[in-house]
Amino acid sequence: MFGLELRDLTKAYGDHLAADQVSLSIPHGEFVCFLGPSGCGKTTVLRMIAGLETPTSGAILLNGKEITNEAANGRQFGMVFQSLALFPHLNVGENIAFALRLRGVDARRRKDRVAELLDLVRLPGLQTRAISQLSGGQRQRVAIARALAQEPPVFLLDEPFSALDAKLREEMQNELRALQQRLKITTILVTHDQREAMTMADTIVVMGGGQIQQHGPPVDIYRQPANRFVADFIGASNLLPVEVLDPRTVRLGAISLRVAAACGLGAAPATLAIRPEDVLISRMAGNGDNEVAGVISQVRDMGAYVEFRIDCQGQDILGVAMPRDWIGAGVGETAHVRLPVDRCQVLAR
Amino acid sequence: MSLSPGVLLRQGFLALIALFLAAPLIVVVSVSFNATRRMSFPPTEFSLRWYRAFFSDYGWMASLERSLTIAGLAALVSVAVALPITYAIWRYQAKVAALLAGIGGALFLIPGVVAALMLSAFWGVTGHVGRLENVVLSHAIVLLGIPLSLLMVGFRTIDQAQVEAAYTMGARDSDAFRMVVRPAMTPYILCAFVFVFVLSINEYLIAYMVAGFTVQTLPIKIFANMRQGYEPTMCVAAVIFMAMGFSAFALMSKVADLPRLMGRTRPLED
Amino acid sequence: MRAAELSVQASGVATAPGRERWVLAGLLTAPGLYILIMAVVPAFLMVQLSLAHREVAGLWSPGFELTQYRQLATPLFARIMGFSLMLALAGALICVSLALPAAYFITRMRRRAQVAWLVFLLGSLSLSEVLIVFAFQVLLSTSGTLAGALTTVGLLAPGASLYPNFPAVLTCLVYLLLPYVILFFYPALSQLDPEVEQAAATMGASRLSTFTRVVLPMMRGQILTGVLLVVIFTFGAYLTPLVLGRPPQWTIAIHINNAAMGAGNLPLAAAYAVSVVAFMVALLVLTRVLSRRKASEA
C-alpha cells in the first residue's frame, strides 16, 4: 500500500515490553497522533519508525517496501525531537541546511531552499541568527524547518510543543496542522496532551501498556471509547461500576438503568461510562428515563461552565452544565440527574 | 546589596584568603624586579636585570624549552588517550571504557610519591632510563584523570538527541562526529590540553624520579639551584611559571564556561 | 517503566551489536594498551618489587620475601606514619574550615566574580610545589619581609629564622591544598538549590544557622572525602617537609624517596609505598562506611 505500515512491531527491554505487537496502517498524507500517558510506549514506537531503535520483532514498511533494518540515516524521516536538538554551534540557516550539506547540495541551491523553508515557517530573514538568540516558538519553527528540508517521506514529531506555554502551543498546533495540510506529508506526532491530539490529528492512536488501545478519528475515540483505559484517559469520564442484567439494562447499586447496548457482556460486573457534559441535572424529578436523585456535594463555577458533583446513593457523579442551564443549587441541596440512554456506554471492567 | 555586617564579614574573609594565596607570589614577583643580588623586600630599586640574565642563560633556556616540550607532548598524549575513552562511555556506554576511566581516575588519586616510585621502577625495569619520553608518558598517565573528567563534562553537555537528529537527516557516524560532536567538544578538548600542560610544566617529583637529573626540567633546575643558595634568576623562573599558569586559565575562561567545567551544572546568570 | 525510558535514552542510536564491537575495539585498543602498560603493569611491578630480594648497588632480584615489610614493623615507621597522619589531619582541619565557607561564598557570587576566583584558584593550584616552597623560603627567610617585620616589632630575635619548623611545613601545606579543597567543594555547593536555603530562612533560620544546619549536613559526605583528599596529598608531599621542615617533620614521601634514590633500596621504597596505598584504601573504605552510616541516620 501507499503509506507507512507497522506489522506486529515489538520492542523488549529485558522482560519489559515497551511496545507489544503494534500493528497500524497509515495512509499517505495522513496526520496521526500517538496519544498516551508517559511510559506507554509511544515514543519507543516513534523511535523505531525513525530507525533510532531496532525492533525486537515485527516489520516496518514504507510504500510496501520493508525498511525494518534500514538505519536512521538511510530512512531520512525528518524528526523533531522533544528537546528540539538544534545544533548550538550552527546558526539558523546552517541548522536548516544541515541535511542538504550532507547530500552535497551546492551553496546556491541550499541558500534558496533555506529561504523557502524560513518563509514556510514564517521566520523570513533569520538565516544568520544564533540559536541562543531565538525565542521558544522560533526554535520550534527552526526545528520543523530543519526536519522538512530533506523533503522526508514521513515527518515525525516527539512531543514537540511540551515546553511551550499554553497560548503559544495552541498557535503552533494550528500552524503545524495548516503546514501539514499544505504539504500533504505523512505526519506522526507523539503527545500526552489529548487536546493537542484532538485538534490536529486525522487519526488518534491511543496507546497504553505498550499496546494500541484504540485508533480512529478523534470524535469516535471521544464518543465511543473502546475500553475503560481509553474512556479514562481521554477527557473526563464518570466510570461507574455496574452489573449487566440484560443487553439493554444494567444495575448501578439499587438503581437500574437503561443503556444503548451492552452487547457481548454477560451478566458480569461492568463499567458504565458517561461524559460529564452528558449528565443532565434538574431540581424536579420526572424528566424521563434513567433518572437518579442525589445530594449535591460540590459546585465549582468556572465562568464558562459550571462543574458539579452529586452523590447518588453512594455513587459520585460528575457533571458539567452551561451557565444558562445551571439550576443555581448549592452544596447539600437535593437534585435529580438524568443519564441519557444513548450516552451511556457499557465497557468491560 | 548594602554593606551589612554580614557582607563585610564575608568580603573580609574572602579578602584574607586571597591575600594568603597571593602573598608568596607577590613577594617573589617583586623580588624578581629588584636590582640587588640580595633578596630584599620591598624591592629597593626597579630593574629588569635578572630577566635579561635569565633569558640569556643557556641552562635556563634549555630547561624552559625542555619543560615546554614535555608539557606539550604529555598534554597531547593524555588528551588523545582520554578522548576515545570518554567518547566510548558517552556514546556506547562501554563497560571496558568505564573500567579504563576508573583506572585513570584512581591513578590521579594515589599519593604523588607512590606514582613516581611506580613509574621510576617501571622505566628501570625496561632499561630505558633518563629519557625525555619517559617523563612525557609518565606525566600523561598520572594526569589522565583531568582530561577524563573534563571531556566527560563536555560530552554530557551534548544532547544525545543532537546526534540522533543528525542521523535522521542522513548523517553517518563519522559525519555526526565531525559536524556535531567535534564542534561542541572543541573548547573542552582545548581546556583539557591546557590543564594538563600547566600541571605537567609544574610537576617536580615524577620528572625527578623518572629521569633524574638527566632531563632537567624547569622545576628540577629551580630546585637544584635552591640547594646551592639563593639566586635572583630563580625568581624570574618563578614569575614565568605564574604568568603561564594564570594566563592559561584566563584564556580558558574565555573559550569555555569555566564554572560548568569545574562542575557547576546549575545555570548561572551573568 | 521509568527504567525502560531511561534505557531508551541510554541505548542511543540503534547500531548493530557486531559493528559496535568493532568500533569500540578501534577506539579503545590503543588507550587500553597505554593504560595497561603505564598504570597496571607498574602497579603490579611495585607490589612485586616490595617482595623482591635486595642486592647490592641498588639492584634487586625477583623473589617472595617479607624482609622489607619486616623492616617496616619498627617504631620508626609507626612514628613516620603517625606524624604524616597528624600533619594531614591538622592540614585537613584548617583547609576544610577555610575552604567550606570560601567555596560557599564563591558559589553565590555573580558569574564574573566567580570566573575570576576560579582562574585565581586554578592558577595558584597549578603552581609547582617547588615554586611555592621557594616562595615560602623567600617569605620566611632571615632577610625576608615577614622576619624583618617581626624583628622590627620585637617578636623575633635578630637573625633568627621562621623556618625550618612544624608551623612552616603546616602553613605551606595549607597553602598548597587550599585551592584544591575549595575547588573540590565548588561543584556540590554550587548545586545546592538556593530555594532550600530560602525555605530555611522563611522558617526563621539566620544565615549562620542555615549554613550550619542545612548546608553543612548536606555536605557531610563531601567533607569526609575532602579530608581524604588532603590526607592523600599530604602523604605524597615531598618538597614542603624537606625544605621547610627538619628531619622529625619528614613525611613518608621523603623516606620513600630516600630509600629509592638515596640508599638505592628499591624493595624497601616499594614496601613503604604499598603500605601507604593500603593505608589509603583503608581510609577510603572507612570514609565510605562513615558517610553511608551518617546518610542512613539522617
Side-chain angles (χ1 to χ4, degrees):
Chain A
M1 71 165 252
F2 208 50
L4 190 71
E5 195 179 345
L6 313 180
R7 278 190 200 155
D8 293 329
L9 212 51
T10 301
K11 179 72 185 180
Y13 295 108
D15 292 340
H16 175 80
L17 287 176
D20 185 3
Q21 303 208 316
V22 172
S23 293
L24 189 70
S25 286
I26 302 171
H28 176 78
E30 198 167 78
F31 196 132
V32 177
C33 280
F34 277 75
L35 178 64
S38 74
C40 69
K42 56 191 193 296
T43 295
T44 306
V45 172
L46 190 81
R47 290 173 60 86
M48 286 195 283
I49 295 172
L52 296 171
E53 213 72 62
T54 319
T56 309
S57 63
I60 304 168
L61 289 85
L62 179 66
N63 300 334
K65 185 174 148 262
E66 176 155 356
I67 55 163
T68 319
N69 292 317
E70 194 166 352
N73 48 18
R75 289 182 207 185
Q76 301 180 10
F77 292 179
M79 179 151 168
V80 175
F81 289 77
Q82 187 168 12
S83 65
L84 301 187
L86 293 171
F87 304 128
H89 60 286
L90 303 179
N91 65 25
V92 169
E94 289 163 342
N95 260 284
I96 296 173
F98 190 88
L100 306 174
R101 227 171 83 204
L102 281 168
R103 280 171 188 66
V105 175
D106 66 68
R108 258 198 44 181
R109 284 191 35 221
R110 276 208 312 256
K111 204 175 143 220
D112 293 346
R113 180 83 178 119
V114 168
E116 187 187 320
L117 284 158
L118 280 174
D119 283 341
L120 192 71
V121 295
R122 304 201 304 157
L123 290 177
L126 285 196
Q127 278 88 338
T128 56
R129 195 69 73 82
I131 298 300
S132 56
Q133 291 174 302
L134 300 179
S135 71
Q138 287 173 326
R139 280 173 206 216
Q140 210 83 52
R141 287 161 209 254
V142 172
I144 291 171
R146 185 179 72 170
L148 291 175
Q150 56 190 339
E151 299 183 41
V154 179
F155 184 32
L156 308 170
L157 302 101
D158 184 10
E159 309 235 10
F161 306 135
S162 56
L164 301 182
D165 64 62
K167 198 166 176 298
L168 193 56
R169 196 183 315 155
E170 202 155 322
E171 203 180 300
M172 288 304 303
Q173 286 163 0
N174 292 336
E175 258 183 62
L176 179 65
R177 177 64 182 165
L179 193 68
Q180 190 269 341
Q181 296 275 296
R182 191 133 49 98
L183 301 175
K184 295 267 178 289
I185 182 172
T186 311
T187 302
I188 303 173
L189 183 140
V190 157
T191 181
H192 64 268
D193 178 357
Q194 45 162 313
R195 217 182 125 78
E196 185 163 294
M198 296 286 289
T199 50
M200 295 167 83
D202 296 314
T203 299
I204 290 182
V205 178
V206 182
M207 285 200 66
Q211 292 172 324
I212 294 183
Q213 299 289 340
Q214 188 177 4
H215 65 97
V219 178
D220 288 5
I221 303 260
Y222 188 81
R223 287 275 163 236
Q224 278 125 35
N227 56 36
R228 199 192 148 100
F229 179 90
V230 178
D232 196 19
F233 185 70
I234 309 283
S237 274
N238 288 295
L239 297 172
L240 307 168
V242 293
E243 243 174 279
V244 179
L245 297 180
D246 64 62
R248 299 205 142 265
T249 321
V250 296
R251 203 178 62 207
L252 170 70
I255 315 155
S256 121
L257 295 169
R258 295 209 317 117
V259 293
C263 33
L265 298 163
T271 298
L272 185 143
I274 183 165
R275 298 283 178 197
E277 63 269 26
D278 293 332
V279 175
L280 303 172
I281 187 165
S282 57
R283 280 183 179 278
M284 299 298 164
N287 292 309
D289 289 335
N290 283 0
E291 199 172 77
V292 194
V295 179
I296 294 177
S297 59
Q298 188 187 54
V299 175
R300 293 203 295 174
D301 193 335
M302 312 297 283
Y305 56 93
V306 180
E307 210 177 85
F308 56 90
R309 281 184 184 280
I310 186 158
D311 184 356
C312 302
Q313 300 168 21
Q315 291 301 331
D316 183 45
I317 295 175
L318 175 71
V320 168
M322 288 294 114
R324 65 167 171 275
D325 299 334
W326 177 236
I327 56 173
V331 172
E333 290 182 43
T334 312
H336 298 266
V337 290
R338 192 159 70 84
L339 311 175
V341 176
D342 59 332
R343 301 293 193 206
C344 290
Q345 285 252 324
V346 179
L347 307 166
R349 182 155 289 179
Chain B
M1 211 181 279
S2 67
L3 280 178
S4 67
V7 175
L8 275 177
L9 207 65
R10 195 174 67 200
Q11 301 288 13
F13 176 74
L14 284 175
L16 280 178
I17 297 268
L19 183 70
F20 173 58
L21 290 177
L25 313 183
I26 294 170
V27 171
V28 169
V29 171
S30 39
V31 170
S32 77
F33 288 109
N34 212 347
T36 61
R37 174 171 289 279
R38 231 177 63 85
M39 177 183 1
S40 67
F41 184 86
T44 44
E45 201 183 322
F46 179 84
S47 153
L48 288 174
R49 183 179 160 196
W50 306 115
Y51 284 81
R52 252 175 265 128
F54 180 89
F55 284 106
S56 55
D57 182 290
Y58 172 76
W60 280 117
M61 292 321 285
S63 283
L64 179 62
E65 194 190 319
R66 206 170 289 127
S67 274
L68 290 174
T69 312
I70 290 172
L73 292 174
L76 212 60
V77 171
S78 155
V79 171
V81 168
L83 193 59
I85 294 177
T86 45
Y87 179 71
I89 294 176
W90 173 72
R91 177 73 176 75
Y92 301 104
Q93 286 76 44
K95 293 216 169 60
V96 188
L99 177 73
L100 291 176
I103 298 174
L107 213 57
F108 190 64
L109 282 181
I110 65 171
V113 69
V114 175
L117 179 70
M118 259 167 59
L119 291 163
S120 100
F122 170 77
W123 289 114
V125 167
T126 60
H128 186 269
V129 289
R131 302 287 185 77
L132 187 126
E133 58 267 29
N134 296 8
V135 186
V136 170
L137 292 174
S138 304
H139 276 179
I141 190 87
V142 171
L143 299 173
L144 188 61
I146 289 172
L148 282 173
S149 62
L150 292 187
L151 295 179
M152 213 56 233
V153 170
F155 278 120
R156 291 219 181 90
T157 61
I158 307 175
D159 184 0
Q160 291 263 10
Q162 281 180 21
V163 178
E164 295 181 348
Y167 286 115
T168 63
M169 288 183 270
R172 287 164 300 158
D173 262 324
S174 54
D175 296 322
F177 187 84
R178 185 169 49 85
M179 295 166 80
V180 181
V181 178
R182 204 186 55 196
M185 284 303 290
T186 305
Y188 294 93
I189 293 173
L190 203 65
C191 287
F193 182 89
V194 169
F195 213 137
V196 176
F197 183 89
V198 171
L199 286 186
S200 161
I201 223 168
N202 281 283
E203 204 284 329
Y204 168 77
L205 196 55
I206 293 168
Y208 168 60
M209 285 182 75
V210 164
F213 286 108
T214 48
V215 180
Q216 208 172 43
T217 63
L218 208 45
I220 295 179
K221 184 161 166 66
I222 295 181
F223 189 63
N225 278 26
M226 256 167 84
R227 314 224 84 177
Q228 290 154 17
Y230 175 75
E231 179 68 43
T233 41
M234 286 160 61
C235 288
V236 176
V239 171
I240 288 174
F241 270 114
M242 290 175 210
M244 270 195 302
F246 284 106
S247 50
F249 289 111
L251 180 82
M252 202 193 264
S253 75
K254 295 283 176 253
V255 296
D257 183 352
L258 207 51
R260 173 157 214 164
L261 213 54
M262 297 319 294
R264 185 189 184 103
T265 51
R266 183 172 277 282
L268 175 64
E269 61 276 11
D270 293 317
Chain C
M1 190 56 215
R2 195 76 209 115
E5 294 241 299
L6 280 176
S7 71
V8 171
Q9 275 301 312
S11 76
V13 176
T15 324
R19 207 180 95 70
E20 188 176 313
R21 207 166 302 139
W22 282 109
V23 172
L24 280 177
L27 282 173
L28 297 177
T29 305
L33 277 176
Y34 175 68
I35 289 176
L36 185 73
I37 295 171
M38 291 299 299
V40 181
V41 169
F44 277 107
L45 184 66
M46 193 174 69
V47 176
Q48 195 205 358
L49 199 55
S50 73
L51 300 168
H53 182 71
R54 186 193 173 193
E55 307 276 355
V56 286
L59 297 175
W60 53 280
S61 55
F64 190 86
E65 52 182 77
L66 293 171
T67 324
Q68 308 305 338
Y69 286 99
R70 233 171 268 130
Q71 214 175 317
L72 296 186
T74 58
L76 176 71
F77 179 70
R79 212 192 58 71
I80 298 167
M81 288 294 272
F83 173 76
S84 300
L85 190 63
M86 191 272 286
L87 179 67
L89 291 179
L93 186 72
I94 301 173
C95 280
V96 169
S97 45
L98 292 178
L100 206 57
Y104 178 76
F105 294 147
I106 291 169
T107 56
R108 262 120 194 99
M109 289 176 169
R110 288 160 173 280
R111 173 178 279 275
R112 283 176 70 98
Q114 260 189 52
V115 169
W117 264 100
L118 290 176
V119 169
F120 179 58
L121 290 171
L122 285 168
S124 61
L125 144 140
S126 65
L127 281 178
S128 178
E129 198 183 344
V130 174
L131 286 181
I132 307 290
V133 168
F134 170 61
F136 264 84
Q137 215 181 15
V138 173
L139 191 68
L140 299 176
S141 66
T142 334
S143 50
T145 342
L146 208 55
L150 290 176
T151 313
T152 320
V153 296
L155 278 171
L156 195 73
S161 179
L162 288 167
Y163 82 97
N165 56 23
F166 179 73
V169 174
L170 185 60
T171 311
C172 186
L173 209 58
V174 168
Y175 182 92
L176 285 165
L177 279 163
L178 194 57
Y180 266 105
V181 182
I182 295 178
L183 287 174
F184 174 75
F185 287 144
Y186 179 80
L189 282 172
S190 66
Q191 242 64 283
L192 280 186
D193 189 345
E195 286 187 0
V196 172
E197 291 161 57
Q198 286 158 12
T202 62
M203 289 179 262
S206 70
R207 287 190 72 115
L208 183 66
S209 59
T210 303
F211 186 74
T212 54
R213 282 161 185 261
V214 180
V215 179
L216 281 188
M218 287 164 98
M219 291 290 292
R220 199 176 263 153
Q222 295 283 322
I223 292 172
L224 275 174
T225 317
V227 169
L228 187 68
L229 203 70
V230 175
V231 172
I232 291 172
F233 188 94
T234 308
F235 272 71
Y238 170 72
L239 287 170
T240 308
L242 185 69
V243 176
L244 299 176
R246 283 195 231 95
Q249 283 113 38
W250 282 4
T251 51
I252 191 79
I254 298 177
H255 292 275
I256 293 178
N257 192 57
N258 283 354
M261 310 290 282
N265 190 349
L266 270 178
L268 178 62
Y272 270 133
V274 170
S275 316
V276 169
V277 171
F279 187 63
M280 294 297 145
V281 171
L283 280 182
L284 185 74
V285 171
L286 187 71
T287 48
R288 280 286 153 83
V289 170
L290 277 180
S291 53
R292 193 164 305 155
R293 180 175 305 159
K294 287 283 163 59
S296 63
E297 270 171 23

mmCIF file of all heavy atoms in Angstrom, chain C residues 169-182:
data_model
loop_
_atom_site.group_PDB
_atom_site.id
_atom_site.type_symbol
_atom_site.label_atom_id
_atom_site.label_comp_id
_atom_site.label_asym_id
_atom_site.label_seq_id
_atom_site.Cartn_x
_atom_site.Cartn_y
_atom_site.Cartn_z
ATOM 1 N N VAL C 169 55.951 24.111 57.831
ATOM 2 C CA VAL C 169 55.502 22.981 56.998
ATOM 3 C C VAL C 169 53.987 23.004 56.874
ATOM 4 O O VAL C 169 53.420 22.904 55.776
ATOM 5 C CB VAL C 169 55.971 21.643 57.611
ATOM 6 C CG1 VAL C 169 55.386 20.469 56.844
ATOM 7 C CG2 VAL C 169 57.481 21.567 57.619
ATOM 8 N N LEU C 170 53.318 23.169 58.007
ATOM 9 C CA LEU C 170 51.852 23.131 58.009
ATOM 10 C C LEU C 170 51.278 24.282 57.177
ATOM 11 O O LEU C 170 50.365 24.088 56.367
ATOM 12 C CB LEU C 170 51.340 23.206 59.453
ATOM 13 C CG LEU C 170 49.837 23.051 59.635
ATOM 14 C CD1 LEU C 170 49.366 21.702 59.116
ATOM 15 C CD2 LEU C 170 49.454 23.217 61.098
ATOM 16 N N THR C 171 51.835 25.483 57.341
ATOM 17 C CA THR C 171 51.320 26.647 56.608
ATOM 18 C C THR C 171 51.471 26.440 55.104
ATOM 19 O O THR C 171 50.547 26.693 54.330
ATOM 20 C CB THR C 171 52.075 27.921 57.027
ATOM 21 O OG1 THR C 171 52.103 27.984 58.449
ATOM 22 C CG2 THR C 171 51.391 29.161 56.471
ATOM 23 N N CYS C 172 52.632 25.962 54.705
ATOM 24 C CA CYS C 172 52.883 25.769 53.278
ATOM 25 C C CYS C 172 51.949 24.686 52.716
ATOM 26 O O CYS C 172 51.423 24.807 51.617
ATOM 27 C CB CYS C 172 54.336 25.396 53.047
ATOM 28 S SG CYS C 172 54.769 25.312 51.308
ATOM 29 N N LEU C 173 51.729 23.664 53.518
ATOM 30 C CA LEU C 173 50.848 22.580 53.092
ATOM 31 C C LEU C 173 49.420 23.096 52.910
ATOM 32 O O LEU C 173 48.746 22.783 51.913
ATOM 33 C CB LEU C 173 50.875 21.479 54.165
ATOM 34 C CG LEU C 173 50.618 20.065 53.692
ATOM 35 C CD1 LEU C 173 51.623 19.662 52.651
ATOM 36 C CD2 LEU C 173 50.671 19.127 54.885
ATOM 37 N N VAL C 174 48.965 23.905 53.860
ATOM 38 C CA VAL C 174 47.635 24.502 53.749
ATOM 39 C C VAL C 174 47.565 25.361 52.498
ATOM 40 O O VAL C 174 46.585 25.329 51.753
ATOM 41 C CB VAL C 174 47.304 25.340 55.009
ATOM 42 C CG1 VAL C 174 46.068 26.197 54.779
ATOM 43 C CG2 VAL C 174 47.097 24.426 56.205
ATOM 44 N N TYR C 175 48.640 26.095 52.249
ATOM 45 C CA TYR C 175 48.679 26.939 51.057
ATOM 46 C C TYR C 175 48.500 26.098 49.797
ATOM 47 O O TYR C 175 47.724 26.427 48.907
ATOM 48 C CB TYR C 175 50.011 27.684 50.996
ATOM 49 C CG TYR C 175 50.102 28.611 49.825
ATOM 50 C CD1 TYR C 175 49.730 29.939 49.929
ATOM 51 C CD2 TYR C 175 50.520 28.149 48.581
ATOM 52 C CE1 TYR C 175 49.772 30.788 48.843
ATOM 53 C CE2 TYR C 175 50.575 28.980 47.481
ATOM 54 C CZ TYR C 175 50.200 30.304 47.628
ATOM 55 O OH TYR C 175 50.237 31.124 46.543
ATOM 56 N N LEU C 176 49.239 24.982 49.743
ATOM 57 C CA LEU C 176 49.186 24.119 48.556
ATOM 58 C C LEU C 176 47.810 23.504 48.371
ATOM 59 O O LEU C 176 47.342 23.314 47.253
ATOM 60 C CB LEU C 176 50.213 22.994 48.687
ATOM 61 C CG LEU C 176 51.668 23.366 48.475
ATOM 62 C CD1 LEU C 176 52.565 22.258 48.984
ATOM 63 C CD2 LEU C 176 51.915 23.598 46.990
ATOM 64 N N LEU C 177 47.177 23.183 49.491
ATOM 65 C CA LEU C 177 45.949 22.398 49.407
ATOM 66 C C LEU C 177 44.681 23.232 49.340
ATOM 67 O O LEU C 177 43.664 22.768 48.840
ATOM 68 C CB LEU C 177 45.869 21.451 50.612
ATOM 69 C CG LEU C 177 46.708 20.211 50.422
ATOM 70 C CD1 LEU C 177 46.945 19.514 51.740
ATOM 71 C CD2 LEU C 177 46.007 19.271 49.452
ATOM 72 N N LEU C 178 44.747 24.443 49.853
ATOM 73 C CA LEU C 178 43.523 25.245 49.951
ATOM 74 C C LEU C 178 42.792 25.393 48.606
ATOM 75 O O LEU C 178 41.587 25.145 48.534
ATOM 76 C CB LEU C 178 43.848 26.601 50.579
ATOM 77 C CG LEU C 178 42.643 27.411 51.058
ATOM 78 C CD1 LEU C 178 41.829 26.616 52.064
ATOM 79 C CD2 LEU C 178 43.095 28.730 51.663
ATOM 80 N N PRO C 179 43.493 25.757 47.516
ATOM 81 C CA PRO C 179 42.779 25.867 46.242
ATOM 82 C C PRO C 179 42.133 24.549 45.820
ATOM 83 O O PRO C 179 40.998 24.537 45.340
ATOM 84 C CB PRO C 179 43.871 26.260 45.241
ATOM 85 C CG PRO C 179 45.029 26.706 46.033
ATOM 86 C CD PRO C 179 44.917 26.106 47.391
ATOM 87 N N TYR C 180 42.854 23.435 46.063
ATOM 88 C CA TYR C 180 42.297 22.116 45.723
ATOM 89 C C TYR C 180 40.986 21.883 46.450
ATOM 90 O O TYR C 180 39.983 21.477 45.869
ATOM 91 C CB TYR C 180 43.259 20.991 46.158
ATOM 92 C CG TYR C 180 44.194 20.522 45.084
ATOM 93 C CD1 TYR C 180 45.526 20.878 45.100
ATOM 94 C CD2 TYR C 180 43.720 19.710 44.059
ATOM 95 C CE1 TYR C 180 46.396 20.446 44.118
ATOM 96 C CE2 TYR C 180 44.587 19.268 43.077
ATOM 97 C CZ TYR C 180 45.921 19.649 43.110
ATOM 98 O OH TYR C 180 46.765 19.212 42.134
ATOM 99 N N VAL C 181 41.013 22.132 47.751
ATOM 100 C CA VAL C 181 39.846 21.802 48.562
ATOM 101 C C VAL C 181 38.684 22.743 48.223
ATOM 102 O O VAL C 181 37.538 22.313 48.129
ATOM 103 C CB VAL C 181 40.200 21.835 50.063
ATOM 104 C CG1 VAL C 181 38.998 21.451 50.903
ATOM 105 C CG2 VAL C 181 41.343 20.881 50.333
ATOM 106 N N ILE C 182 38.980 24.021 47.995
ATOM 107 C CA ILE C 182 37.909 24.946 47.605
ATOM 108 C C ILE C 182 37.276 24.456 46.304
ATOM 109 O O ILE C 182 36.057 24.358 46.183
ATOM 110 C CB ILE C 182 38.439 26.388 47.422
ATOM 111 C CG1 ILE C 182 38.930 26.951 48.764
ATOM 112 C CG2 ILE C 182 37.339 27.293 46.866
ATOM 113 C CD1 ILE C 182 39.507 28.352 48.668
#
